[in-house]
Amino acid sequence: MAQTNEPSFRESVDLMFNRAVALMDLPPGLEEKIRVCNATYTVRFGVRLRGEIRTFTGYRSVHSEHMEPVKGGIRFAMGVNQDEVEALAALMTYKCALVETPFGGSKGGLRIDPRQYEEHELELITRRFAYELAKRDLINPSQNVPAPDMGTGEREMAWIADQYARMNTTDINARACVTGKPTHAGGINGRVEATGRGVQYGLREFFRHPEDVKKARLSGKLEGKRVIVQGLGNVGYHAAKFLSEQDGAKIVGIIERDGALTDPKGLDVEAVHHWISLHGGVKGFADATYVKDGASVLEEECDILIPAALEGVINLTNADRIKAPLIIEAANGPVTSGADKVLREKKTVIIPDLYANAGGVTVSYFEWVKNLSHIRFGRMQRRQEEARHQLVVDELERLDRYLGDAWSMTPQFKEQYLRGADELELVRSGLDDTMRTAYQDMREVWHERDDVDDLRMAAYIVAIRRVAASYRAKGL
């Protein structure tokens, strides 16, 4: 575990903020306004379960209201506490600003181990938590919009949305009170895998810039790169799956709670994921080498390391032994500020969390817009787009008949060109554009400022600059 002199997660976020604002010209009062967490609500509520009343503690923190609504997930975990929730809310502020989603930062958590409860019990607990938050406008389509996080998913978001709708029967926009819902309950296609997909798009954009790849002491494209993933939950699984299946990367290590699996030839991500879903861990999986001390695999040779689970897994106890030249933070705060300093001195390139895992909030934004507009993406224009493309194909087929064997369209071209974009394709397009644009904004600061030597500082500077501009526009 981390040493006693290791800063906490909350302190790490503040230290990284301090490093960034030291390079900026902000009035001290505005700097403090951006730094502080505006409000944190602590709720303790009882639910009758198994013949007795059980009391639960939950939190909802609002870091910044420079834009509203504020946005941030709700996690169910035993480690939830006020400091963690406030640190995560601050990260959400900077993340939303960096990828230009029009939200302030918020976060919520309930101190509970969801594995200890039956589904109907979890529903009672979630609905009561949602009730306590919603009656204080800490769940509201125009003020505070939660999303899934660790320990929660589509099911919990559907319960929260229904609870809000029951409390606000005349609110036509009730479904927009929360994102990450199932598609049949107002969700959007592509949300489940959005964070993992964002990690993939972020890496693709990084590898489009040879100058940046060279800084990481790497070369070439993503294909063939050796990847170690820590945590095969929703984010880690989708990132590993897409990188291996679509980009030709080799997943040479997967780290889970009960150990790790390694294979220099590459692991079958789908098979490992299926094994974990059946057995609760990686132990016993046949087609790989099992390592009992999973954390030690973080220190193995690889090209790209993807910490995709908890905060603080790379800290002062192991930072100097990390061999990966490129780290992409799929989790929130997986590298402590102490470890960050060690890794920067080693010239390790870190693609920071406030950019790397922003795919979730980006697609949540699309879902929120969909709920407010009350129409799915593509419904109005898809068939018109296909009809317009058909005109081109008809003309090409006429040319085809005229020229005979000298020229002809391939069947694949015709099929792909004729198909209009559906909701999933539009979501992926919007996410790809967001990740590309945000990376380019970061790298511009990274390359053009002599006093910025890492992407994390570049990301914070871009984000804080935008938050400051919002506050100035409000007259602060």
Side-chain angles (χ1 to χ4, degrees), residues 271-292:
V272 175
H273 185 252
H274 181 66
W275 179 269
I276 292 171
S277 67
L278 292 177
H279 301 91
V282 294
K283 192 174 183 180
F285 185 77
D287 300 326
T289 302
Y290 173 71
V291 181
K292 188 175 181 181

Side-chain angles (χ1 to χ4, degrees), residues 373-432:
S373 62
H374 302 275
I375 188 168
R376 65 171 164 80
F377 292 113
R379 184 168 182 176
M380 293 286 282
Q381 73 269 31
R382 184 182 180 188
R383 301 307 173 191
Q384 190 273 338
E385 187 183 320
E386 288 180 356
R388 200 169 68 246
H389 288 177
Q390 184 68 55
L391 290 172
V392 176
V393 168
D394 288 347
E395 194 64 19
L396 289 172
E397 283 181 334
R398 188 183 66 78
L399 187 64
D400 192 359
R401 288 191 298 272
Y402 177 74
L403 293 173
D405 294 336
W407 181 89
S408 65
M409 274 186 298
T410 61
Q412 292 87 352
F413 166 79
K414 182 177 177 180
E415 181 188 338
Q416 290 172 12
Y417 187 69
L418 276 177
R419 193 179 70 242
D422 60 14
E423 182 172 86
L424 181 58
E425 288 170 310
L426 290 167
V427 164
R428 287 176 180 169
S429 170
L431 176 56
D432 192 12

Side-chain angles (χ1 to χ4, degrees), residues 10-214:
R10 171 73 181 274
E11 289 166 342
S12 279
V13 173
D14 282 345
L15 285 165
M16 290 164 183
F17 176 90
N18 292 344
R19 274 189 64 220
V21 294
L23 305 177
M24 301 175 72
D25 187 24
L26 290 180
L30 183 55
E31 179 184 316
E32 181 65 11
K33 177 69 194 84
I34 295 170
R35 182 203 318 277
V36 298
C37 201
N38 289 2
T40 300
Y41 176 69
T42 304
V43 56
R44 295 178 181 89
F45 59 91
V47 180
R48 183 173 290 280
L49 299 170
R50 304 173 193 177
E52 63 180 17
I53 294 175
R54 300 199 180 189
T55 300
F56 299 90
T57 302
Y59 304 91
R60 189 70 180 166
S61 180
V62 177
H63 175 262
S64 176
E65 292 151 302
H66 68 283
M67 285 194 178
E68 287 184 296
V70 293
K71 191 90 184 70
I74 288 179
R75 61 173 52 184
F76 285 5
M78 288 304 294
V80 165
N81 58 67
Q82 183 171 335
D83 264 14
E84 179 191 62
V85 170
E86 290 185 354
L88 289 165
L91 273 180
M92 281 303 301
T93 293
Y94 311 134
K95 188 182 301 183
C96 290
L98 178 64
V99 296
E100 296 186 286
T101 55
F103 302 125
S106 183
K107 206 73 177 187
L110 185 65
R111 195 179 300 151
I112 183 177
D113 182 353
R115 293 169 297 182
Q116 301 301 313
Y117 296 91
E118 300 290 334
E119 183 173 352
H120 74 278
E121 293 174 324
L122 268 178
E123 180 175 355
L124 287 173
I125 296 164
T126 303
R127 284 182 179 275
R128 183 57 194 265
F129 186 34
Y131 169 79
E132 294 292 338
L133 295 179
K135 71 181 184 181
R136 293 167 177 85
D137 283 332
L138 290 165
I139 298 176
N140 185 297
S142 62
Q143 288 181 271
N144 198 314
V145 182
D149 200 273
M150 189 169 67
T152 59
E154 290 185 326
R155 180 183 65 179
E156 289 77 12
M157 298 307 110
W159 292 335
I160 292 171
D162 183 65
Q163 184 63 36
Y164 178 86
R166 290 183 185 193
M167 296 168 66
N168 298 273
T169 54
T170 59
D171 186 350
I172 195 172
N173 295 319
R175 277 183 165 178
C177 75
V178 65
T179 58
K181 303 178 294 294
T183 51
H184 59 265
I188 194 168
N189 285 292
R191 175 62 184 87
V192 172
E193 69 269 23
T195 310
R197 180 75 72 183
V199 171
Q200 177 197 26
Y201 288 163
L203 276 172
R204 281 182 177 178
E205 183 59 25
F206 178 84
F207 276 90
R208 285 191 186 100
H209 302 277
E211 187 181 356
D212 300 1
V213 176
K214 190 177 178 182

